[in-house]
Amino acid sequence: MKKTLAEIAALVNGTVIGDADREVTGITNIEDAGPGDITFAVPPHIDKAAQCAAAAVIIPDTMGDFPKPAIRVTNPRMAFTTLLALLTPKPAIPVGIHPTAILGTNVKLGTAVAIMAHTVIEDNVQIGNNTIIYSNTYIGRDVTVGDDTIIYSNVTVRETCHIGNRVIVQNGAVIGSDGFGFVTVGGRHQKVPQVGNVIIEDDVEIGANSCLDRATTGSTIVGKGTKIDNLVHLAHNVVTGENCFFVALTGIAGSTKIGNNVTFAGQSGCNGHITIGDNCVFAARTAPINDIPANSFCAGFPARPHQEWLRSEAAIGHLPELVKKIRKLEQRLAQLEPK
């Protein structure tokens, strides 16, 4: 890439500070930026960016003077993201079916589909336009995949599942594995058939080695725009709203209903058969065990309001001192009591 700051400003709807004709040839983070690169900065990293080696910095439009060439924008993070997408070359993926791929009967492919080596696609599968299926992926019978979707290597999509448009499935994810359903009779565990499916709505991303179980009956559903990190498990019949975040090592138990814009931070858990309202946030290692109302910010196990959890954690730090005081008081009380 070689672009002037004026050209870059036009791409991100920004305003140039300094030499608008200055050219940049790369885009990267503050630490790695060199004299030919552009980077971005938001508080509290403005001073660090001002002293870095970058040729120019994308900064908030609320800032005044800046000691090096810059582009002011409303949202530097979004501008940086836009530039990465526009200026980073995409890998050249040959359209068509690799000779080693195996396709069943009645498979329907849209236009400009790429199916790579050693992929297996079972009967009655439908794949939309401009979709890419990377090597060693398995697509079960009666699956539908939408347009502009990318399924990376070693993914398994089991029978009857549905994947929407512009979905990204990272390496090793499993969609539609059996839910963990058993009935115990006489000390023996009898498997309950898992005959439902998984529905992945549009603009979802699923992280590497994550597992989304098929429903016992009906559907496990991931709402539009939801982003799932690596090593996340959604159990059978979970229903998530739109634009949720599930960060790494989160596990959601079966039949949980989750609202829109909910965030589960890393290593969170969740009891099954509960309902979580919109706009909730669960801090790392939090585990709700009962219904949670909308707009809640929770922490701890069991999950409780974040401020309450902070007070509890602060109090725990004083427990050794309190125990000593109580023992001394017990000793004094024993001395005062009549013999």
Side-chain angles (χ1 to χ4, degrees):
M1 134 180 158
K2 181 183 284 188
K3 290 189 178 295
T4 66
L5 293 187
E7 291 173 323
I8 293 174
L11 292 173
V12 296
N13 195 27
T15 303
V16 177
I17 301 173
D19 182 7
D21 293 326
R22 184 159 188 174
E23 290 185 336
V24 296
T25 56
I27 177 171
T28 188
N29 58 68
I30 294 173
E31 290 78 9
D32 296 334
D37 295 322
I38 189 169
T39 188
F40 85 101
V42 295
H45 306 293
I46 298 296
D47 290 341
K48 185 177 181 180
Q51 298 171 16
C52 77
V57 182
I58 302 169
I59 59 175
D61 57 11
T62 54
M63 291 193 59
D65 294 335
F66 196 73
K68 62 168 61 212
I71 298 175
R72 289 196 191 102
V73 296
T74 302
N75 187 333
R77 291 183 186 277
M78 193 63 226
F80 187 75
T81 300
T82 299
L83 286 179
L84 283 173
L86 290 174
L87 304 179
T88 303
K90 295 181 180 179
I93 304 298
V95 171
I97 304 170
H98 192 276
T100 62
I102 299 174
L103 273 63
T105 61
N106 196 34
V107 173
K108 297 180 180 178
L109 304 179
T111 59
V113 170
I115 298 176
M116 298 190 187
H118 305 293
T119 292
V120 175
I121 298 178
E122 298 280 10
D123 298 346
N124 305 316
V125 170
Q126 298 183 42
I127 297 175
N129 303 326
N130 308 308
T131 286
I132 302 171
I133 312 292
Y134 278 80
S135 303
N136 300 314
T137 290
Y138 172 82
I139 308 291
R141 61 174 176 78
D142 299 308
V143 166
T144 60
V145 180
D147 298 338
D148 303 298
T149 286
I150 301 174
I151 300 178
Y152 284 101
S153 301
N154 302 310
V155 169
T156 295
V157 183
R158 288 268 303 272
E159 64 277 6
T160 71
C161 292
H162 171 78
I163 298 176
N165 303 313
R166 300 174 301 280
V167 172
I168 298 173
V169 185
Q170 299 288 350
N171 306 72
V174 178
I175 298 171
S177 52
D178 279 1
F180 194 69
F182 299 89
V183 175
T184 302
V185 179
R188 300 186 64 183
H189 307 307
Q190 179 68 42
K191 185 177 179 65
V192 177
Q194 306 292 295
V195 300
N197 71 345
V198 177
I199 297 175
I200 310 297
E201 296 184 351
D202 295 346
D203 301 300
V204 169
E205 180 159 353
I206 299 168
N209 296 316
S210 289
C211 297
L212 282 61
D213 288 351
R214 68 193 313 108
T216 306
T217 60
S219 298
T220 300
I221 301 174
V222 179
K224 294 178 181 178
T226 288
K227 310 303 181 186
I228 297 173
D229 198 359
N230 302 336
L231 298 167
V232 170
H233 177 216
L234 302 186
H236 55 193
N237 293 94
V238 167
V239 176
T240 85
E242 300 179 1
N243 301 312
C244 295
F245 276 125
F246 296 92
V247 183
L249 300 173
T250 290
I252 307 297
S255 299
T256 299
K257 304 295 186 287
I258 298 171
N260 300 323
N261 306 303
V262 173
T263 296
F264 279 85
Q267 297 185 329
S268 298
C270 184
N271 198 13
H273 299 271
I274 65 174
T275 299
I276 294 170
D278 295 343
N279 308 311
C280 289
V281 176
F282 299 97
R285 297 186 175 181
T286 297
I289 62 173
N290 297 305
D291 292 351
I292 302 292
N295 306 305
S296 297
F297 180 20
C298 296
F301 177 82
R304 54 194 184 276
H306 187 255
Q307 289 299 319
E308 178 184 324
W309 175 80
L310 286 175
R311 289 193 295 269
S312 298
E313 290 299 301
I316 288 172
H318 295 291
L319 282 180
E321 179 185 348
L322 290 172
V323 169
K324 290 180 181 178
K325 288 182 178 180
I326 290 171
R327 285 175 178 169
K328 288 181 179 179
L329 289 171
E330 287 175 338
Q331 290 171 0
R332 291 182 60 187
L333 181 61
Q335 292 172 354
L336 293 172
E337 288 179 343
K339 299 294 184 180

